[in-house]
Amino acid sequence: MPSAAGQLNILVVDDDSVIRELLRMHLASADFVVRIAEDGEDALAQILSNAPDLIITDISMPRMDGFELLETVRARPTTAFIPIILLSQHSDVTIFRRGMELGADDFLAKPVKRQDLLNSVAARLKRAAQSKQNLHNTKRADDAISAEPALLSRPPPSNRMPTEDLDGYRLIKKLGEGGMSQVFLAERADSGERHVLKLVRITADEDGEVMQRFITEYALVSQISHPNVAKIFHQGFSETHAYIAMEYFAEGDLRKLIQLSHTLQLTPYQTLTPHTAVAILIQVAAALSAVHKGGIVHRDMKPDNVMLRADGSLALADFGIAKHAHTDLDLTMHGEVFGTPVYIAPEQATGQKVDQRADIYSLGAMFFELLTGKPPYQARDAQTMLELHVNAPLPKLPQHLERFTPLLNSMLAKNPDDRPSSALVVLAELGRLFGTSGTASVNGILANEALIQGAETNKSSLIERINRAAEVSIALSFSAAAKSYHPISAVPGFS
């Protein structure tokens, strides 16, 4: 119930005192009245004596856990309408599905970010107010109280995609569609900021694997903070969809830049000059270094998943089939192939276990295309393409690009053991290729390349910004390496 001052009352339930206090401070800073409970039984007693406007509860607790509390609250007509947000440290789809079946309104992953928390709370309270108003306007309150408790705040799923507000977002236009999701450009109603929403429909007959991949994507990428990795802002759930709010890239992706370069014919030999190809390689390798350091294997490296910002920085995106290198939950069954055939590593093409070196191979295939204007292998069908990656020798580079042959031979080695062990080693090889030391500025690499190739002419301002942004990427990569347990001097080519 609202307090005398009109403030909304939120009950926080968690057996961890640190998390309780953190949530209390976040909510109090937004002018909510916050009550706390240490477990489900304590929470239920408070709910029955003075019902809150919203409940935020952990799942794993002694005595009465979050699921039991949720089920009990939904079973009582006087409390069934209260919005309930579940907290969990797990991304297991079975937990998500059970919560949805019992009537949970949203899920937040621990550790909870303040803005994610406040966005979720605001959306649930707004929806609860709208539901009450609708019941009042249609004079169906008596029928609703006798309805199934778990469905009181959840209308039947619609077969249509959302066309209006989605938890504070207004959908503007559809950007694309994949096998498991649809992608929309959306605008926040409160700030006007544009994000990309990736939506997966929640259906009763969904087998769990699609939703598990979706939840895992957020769990993996939200832990990475690096300028060359796309930002993910929030994961949420509506009545009919799960969604991820991501950074919007108005400049498009690297594929668009390659196609544009074809059209402009920047050089007679390839899409981009080696100078810019190296600058792009530096930024993407820096992204992979950060991703791999977090224990994540991307598994779908391609130009379409490298996004462009207006300042020239590149960001690795779309972790829909990524996996944690050490997770017990391996969604790739033996013999199952994921990835894009044009850039796929041999071990990935044959359904074997992959690690970060598969991403290095795919990065090598991308670099080959950036240098020459076409990928290393071309075929009429996917199966032939996979066979070429497994068995065919690497095509020779044109004479004016021969200095890149040793680097590409190592990145595109058929045997993972013959490839660079990390993206940082790729950067080290670039330093060695252009005669710079490990701690030297990337300007040295790019300057040497410009002298060899000749400065670009008629290049776009975006390409100029890409070259400058590479400086930041390599500096961050070397800084991260210096702070790790392995000294920078242990990296080949660095002293």
Side-chain angles (χ1 to χ4, degrees), residues 11 100-101 110 117 122 186 246 278 291 346 432 446 449 451 495:
L11 177 63
M100 294 299 290
E101 290 168 359
K110 294 181 178 179
L117 173 67
M246 303 178 290
V278 169
V291 168
R432 185 155 33 201
L446 296 179
E449 171 56 26
L451 288 173
S495 57

Side-chain angles (χ1 to χ4, degrees), residues 57-289:
T57 179
D58 188 23
I59 294 177
S60 301
M61 297 182 294
R63 298 204 293 175
M64 178 184 285
D65 65 23
F67 286 138
E68 293 172 310
L69 176 63
L70 171 61
E71 188 172 20
T72 303
V73 170
R74 288 286 179 258
R76 294 176 177 268
T78 57
T79 61
F81 284 98
I82 300 175
I84 298 179
I85 300 173
L86 294 181
L87 304 176
S88 177
Q89 291 180 320
H90 307 286
S91 60
D92 190 341
V93 72
T94 58
I95 293 176
F96 164 78
R97 294 185 68 142
R98 185 180 178 193
M100 294 299 290
E101 290 168 359
L102 293 175
D105 293 277
D106 202 355
F107 290 78
L108 290 175
K110 294 181 178 179
V112 180
K113 299 177 182 178
R114 180 180 184 277
Q115 197 57 52
D116 289 350
L117 173 67
L118 297 182
N119 286 344
S120 178
V121 167
R124 300 315 131 197
L125 290 173
K126 179 180 178 181
R127 182 173 297 159
Q130 291 172 340
S131 297
K132 290 180 181 179
Q133 185 63 42
N134 290 339
L135 287 174
H136 175 74
N137 292 341
T138 58
K139 299 181 180 180
R140 295 173 58 191
D142 291 339
D143 293 335
I145 290 177
S146 62
E148 178 71 17
L151 301 179
L152 286 172
S153 62
R154 192 175 299 283
S158 167
N159 290 327
R160 296 177 299 171
M161 292 297 298
T163 56
E164 299 180 353
D165 284 354
L166 182 71
D167 289 353
Y169 285 100
R170 180 176 65 87
L171 300 184
I172 298 176
K173 65 178 180 179
K174 188 174 182 179
L175 298 177
E177 183 172 0
M180 63 173 277
S181 62
Q182 293 181 305
V183 180
F184 289 82
L185 174 62
E187 185 176 81
R188 284 205 60 83
D190 55 356
S191 65
E193 186 177 3
R194 291 193 168 187
H195 292 167
V196 169
L197 293 191
K198 185 175 184 179
L199 277 67
V200 168
R201 185 167 179 79
I202 300 171
T203 60
D205 58 351
E206 195 265 311
D207 63 7
E209 182 175 323
V210 169
M211 188 57 64
Q212 180 65 70
R213 291 188 185 279
F214 193 75
I215 294 173
T216 299
E217 178 177 2
Y218 176 79
L220 291 177
V221 187
S222 61
Q223 65 181 289
I224 304 296
S225 178
H226 190 278
N228 293 121
V229 177
K231 299 174 184 175
I232 289 188
F233 302 108
H234 177 60
Q235 182 182 61
F237 304 90
S238 70
E239 293 97 334
T240 58
H241 293 84
Y243 71 90
I244 295 176
M246 303 178 290
E247 182 178 3
Y248 171 54
F249 298 91
E251 298 289 343
D253 56 35
L254 185 56
R255 173 70 64 202
K256 177 182 176 182
L257 180 64
I258 293 174
Q259 292 171 345
L260 176 64
S261 300
H262 272 302
T263 302
L264 296 177
Q265 295 183 332
L266 294 181
T267 72
Y269 299 105
Q270 69 281 319
T271 57
L272 302 166
T273 69
H275 182 270
T276 296
V278 169
I280 292 172
L281 175 62
I282 287 170
Q283 293 200 55
V284 181
L288 276 184
S289 181

Side-chain angles (χ1 to χ4, degrees), residues 399-413:
Q399 185 175 0
H400 70 285
L401 296 173
E402 284 183 348
R403 62 190 175 282
F404 295 105
T405 296
L407 176 61
L408 282 170
N409 281 347
S410 64
M411 295 180 72
L412 292 169

